[in-house]
């Protein structure tokens, strides 16, 4: 019996979709535990390319049950579009997807609030999917839960009460038009017909599954450095992508977790605003972005690109309890003559002993680099570690040593078969 947590270890977009797809062949159940349709998990199988935002990538394996945990915020329209897309490829979703009664619903006014917040001075560079405002309502105890879809009088009352308050905000503070409550009621009072069949008591389902000896993979979205508590606040998402979030976001207790797997990109990327010490500007950054096709799977925004940061990864390993990792996109570095690896930070000539999540400090941090020779060989068809060029093996060995983890998977391309298992 294995209950493993899989976390994005940097600023998101590490390639979790592909790795979950590979690993899910060994698991009975895959659970998504936080975030919402801000995530975009890309998987390529043969000539098909999927981008999943809410449903765990395990759905592509016929015998895997997929669960959306209570920690996730669900945009019902995005969910239904995704189900329709999967079914158009003959991927069965009915009977294989369970949604926690306690997950919260993204409402149209959450998206409006997200875009209003982003038009002001305290811009974060969000995905605009209403994530922050939905979690605000959840923690203010005003949120609307998936279970409310099954109680129409209560759902109507909650929507009316919420909109009364939100419309005051829109009209009096933001000088916007009021949102039409009837249109929202019409849409949301119908969702039970389409979503009701998936609603389940997830904690007891998962408890029983563990008792029966089933294996469970808990899939995080975004990345550790975007965690609202442990990331580079305020330039973070509004949930806990770190491994601790897997328990609160699913109902599986910490005593049942057997391992934590980190997904680590062979270099670093970030979307949205916030400090990024190893960022590459100009032509170097552009070349890495183009070679790695680093454009957001959800928003299409160009991702900021930079060198691998072992100092950051050490912090991430520490807060997540990462034991082994999957390194992704190693093939992207194949064009480089030399590769830099950040092994520490300095501020005013002083070496830091810890990773500063405080953005004031992190903005001042100067990376200390070690340089390694590149391998300048196409590695996208390599199947075994021993067949990698020596310089690529050395690079992996160096980053593993400096970051304090063991590598168990190396991905050398987007397809399932472009994977080296160690
Ligand atoms: P939000 O999650 O849409 O509120 O965005 C907050 C921050 O998290 C922004 O910097 C986004 O670019 C970033 N973010 C959200 N989801 C993802 C993701 O799936 N990958 C990478 N960055 C993300």
């Amino acid at each position: 019996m294995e209950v493993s947590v899989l976390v994005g270890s940097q600023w998101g977009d590490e390639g979790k979709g592909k790795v979950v797809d590979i690993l899910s062949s060994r698991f009975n159940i895959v659970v998504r535990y936080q975030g919402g349709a801000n995530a975009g998990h890309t998987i390529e199988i043969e000539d098909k390319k999927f981008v999943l935002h809410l449903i765990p990538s395990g759905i592509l394996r016929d015998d895997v049950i997929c669960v959306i945990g209570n920690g996730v915020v669900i945009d019902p329209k995005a969910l239904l579009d995704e189900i329709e897309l999967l079914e158009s490829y003959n991927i069965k979703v009915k009977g294989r997807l369970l949604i926690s009664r306690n997950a919260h619903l993204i409402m149209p006014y959450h998206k409006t609030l997200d875009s209003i917040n982003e038009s002001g001075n305290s811009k974060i560079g969000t995905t605009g999917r209403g994530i922050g405002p939905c979690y605000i309502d959840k923690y203010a105890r005003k949120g609307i839960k998936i279970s409310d879809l099954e109680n129409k009088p209560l759902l109507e009352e909650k929507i009316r009460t919420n909109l009364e308050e939100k419309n005051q905000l829109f009209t009096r503070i933001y000088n916007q038009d009021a949102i039409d409550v009837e249109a929202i009621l019409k849409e949301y009072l119908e969702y039970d017909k389409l979503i009701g069949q998936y609603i389940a008591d997830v904690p007891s389902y998962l408890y029983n599954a563990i008792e029966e000896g089933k294996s469970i993979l808990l899939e995080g979205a975004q990345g550790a450095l975007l965690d609202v508590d442990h990331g580079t606040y305020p330039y973070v998402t509004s949930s806990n992508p770190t491994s601790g979030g897997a328990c609160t976001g699913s109902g599986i207790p910490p005593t049942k977790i057997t391992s934590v797997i980190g997904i680590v990109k062979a270099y670093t990327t970030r979307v949205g605003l916030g400090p990024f010490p190893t960022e590459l500007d100009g032509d170097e950054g552009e070349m890495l972005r183009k070679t790695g096709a680093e454009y957001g799977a959800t928003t299409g925004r160009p991702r900021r690109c930079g060198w691998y940061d072992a100092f950051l990864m050490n912090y991430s390993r520490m807060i997540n309890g990462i034991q082994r990792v999957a390194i992704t996109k190693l093939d992207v570095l194949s064009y480089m003559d030399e590769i830099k690896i950040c092994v520490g930070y300095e501020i005013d000539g002083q070496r830091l002993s810890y990773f500063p999540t405080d953005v004031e400090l992190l903005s001042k941090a100067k990376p200390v680099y070690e340089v390694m020779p590149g391998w300048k060989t196409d590695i996208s068809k390599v199947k075994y570690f021993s067949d990698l060029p020596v310089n690529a093996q050395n690079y992996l060995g160096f980053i593993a040593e400096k970051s304090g983890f063991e590598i168990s998977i190396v991905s050398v391309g987007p397809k399932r078969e472009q994977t080296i298992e160690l």
Side-chain angles (χ1 to χ4, degrees), residues 11-14 16 37-41 114 124-133 221-223 226 234-238 270-274 298-299 301 303:
W11 273 295
D13 307 314
E14 295 89 356
K16 291 177 286 293
N38 48 351
H41 294 168
D114 200 354
I124 302 291
T126 73
T127 59
R129 298 297 188 269
I131 306 295
Q222 289 88 45
L226 288 172
Y235 300 104
V236 292
T237 192
S238 301
R270 171 164 207 171
V271 201
L273 304 177
T298 299
T299 58
R301 288 182 291 176
R303 296 179 185 141

Side-chain angles (χ1 to χ4, degrees), residues 213-230:
K214 299 219 165 104
S215 292
I216 301 176
L217 184 65
L218 292 139
E219 174 190 358
Q222 289 88 45
L225 275 295
L226 288 172
D227 187 285
V228 68
D229 289 293
H230 300 290

